[in-house]
Amino acid sequence: MGLETVKEEILSNSKEQSNSIIAEARKEANRIMREAENKIEVMKEKSEEETKRILDTIKRQELANAELENKKILLEAKKEVIESVFSEAKKKLENLDDKKKEAIIKRLLEKAKNEIDIAHIYCNKKDIKLLKGFSAETNEIIGGLITENKEKTIRVDYSFETMLESIKESELQNISKILFG
């Protein structure tokens, strides 16, 4: 065997070994790339799931906030309507004709007499003339009357404002049902 043959054999073996090593390296690189792609895919899926979960949470919170805001707006609107109804009632009471007012004041006076010994009566300026036979003082009320005993220790308030407020407090739920179902 000559030197040339040995040289060619060594080169051939080296080439085969290098091709084998390169093929093995390519296989390993491909395996590493597939693993990396799989990891990326898993991370991408986890990220998408997390993003979806966060978006769902945000969506639920926003819906809850919107519902709460709607309820607040609706409640405020209902409150305004109720206030408007009572304001209208107050105006109607204030503008009652003298005949109706006199009848109401007489009934209120009788009711007050059943509760206390009346010594002092207060009413608005226009209604003093309706209290014939009684000494009354003026008060800043729209109508009705306020009575006190001699010592001014017991007061019975039958002013229209007080009675409206009492009705509003005690009948708010019924009024709300009538107005809004």
Side-chain angles (χ1 to χ4, degrees):
M1 247 185 26
L3 195 54
E4 202 50 45
T5 316
V6 171
K7 179 180 159 187
E8 280 183 33
E9 200 176 300
I10 291 174
L11 282 174
S12 174
N13 282 342
S14 294
K15 209 174 203 182
E16 280 180 33
Q17 268 187 332
S18 101
N19 285 341
S20 174
I21 290 172
I22 289 172
E24 197 59 41
R26 282 188 179 139
K27 279 183 185 177
E28 183 63 18
N30 284 336
R31 185 189 65 75
I32 291 171
M33 283 296 281
R34 281 191 308 275
E35 279 182 17
E37 286 173 357
N38 286 341
K39 284 181 180 178
I40 289 171
E41 190 60 35
V42 167
M43 290 173 78
K44 185 178 171 185
E45 287 174 8
K46 282 183 180 178
S47 176
E48 287 173 355
E49 287 173 10
E50 182 66 15
T51 301
K52 186 179 182 307
R53 189 186 64 73
I54 289 170
L55 286 174
D56 286 345
T57 300
I58 290 170
K59 193 183 289 183
R60 279 194 309 275
Q61 287 174 339
E62 288 300 315
L63 283 173
N65 286 342
E67 286 176 10
L68 183 61
E69 190 61 28
N70 282 342
K71 285 181 181 178
K72 282 173 57 178
I73 290 169
L74 184 62
L75 188 63
E76 191 60 36
K78 286 179 177 181
K79 186 177 174 184
E80 286 177 20
V81 168
I82 290 171
E83 287 301 321
S84 172
V85 166
F86 275 93
S87 179
E88 189 63 33
K90 192 173 179 180
K91 284 179 189 173
K92 285 186 178 186
L93 287 171
E94 196 170 9
N95 295 319
L96 282 175
D97 64 58
D98 284 350
K99 203 170 203 172
K100 286 182 183 175
K101 249 189 193 180
E102 186 175 12
I104 291 171
I105 287 177
K106 281 183 180 180
R107 280 193 303 235
L108 294 176
L109 196 54
E110 287 303 314
K111 195 171 179 184
K113 282 180 183 177
N114 291 332
E115 294 184 38
I116 64 171
D117 288 328
I118 298 173
H120 304 280
I121 300 174
Y122 306 94
C123 64
N124 73 22
K125 193 175 185 178
K126 291 189 287 183
D127 294 344
I128 284 183
K129 65 181 182 228
L130 302 175
L131 289 164
K132 299 170 188 151
F134 292 97
S135 174
E137 297 177 44
T138 61
N139 193 314
E140 295 297 316
I141 58 176
I142 62 167
L145 50 91
I146 300 170
T147 59
E148 290 179 334
N149 65 353
K150 188 176 185 179
E151 298 80 25
K152 293 189 177 187
T153 56
I154 301 174
R155 174 179 270 204
V156 177
D157 188 347
Y158 286 133
S159 64
F160 290 167
E161 292 96 323
T162 301
M163 289 188 295
L164 277 175
E165 197 58 39
S166 176
I167 290 169
K168 188 170 155 185
E169 286 176 18
S170 65
E171 296 297 322
L172 188 59
Q173 280 187 323
N174 292 335
I175 293 167
S176 187
K177 282 180 187 175
I178 291 168
L179 291 175
F180 310 113

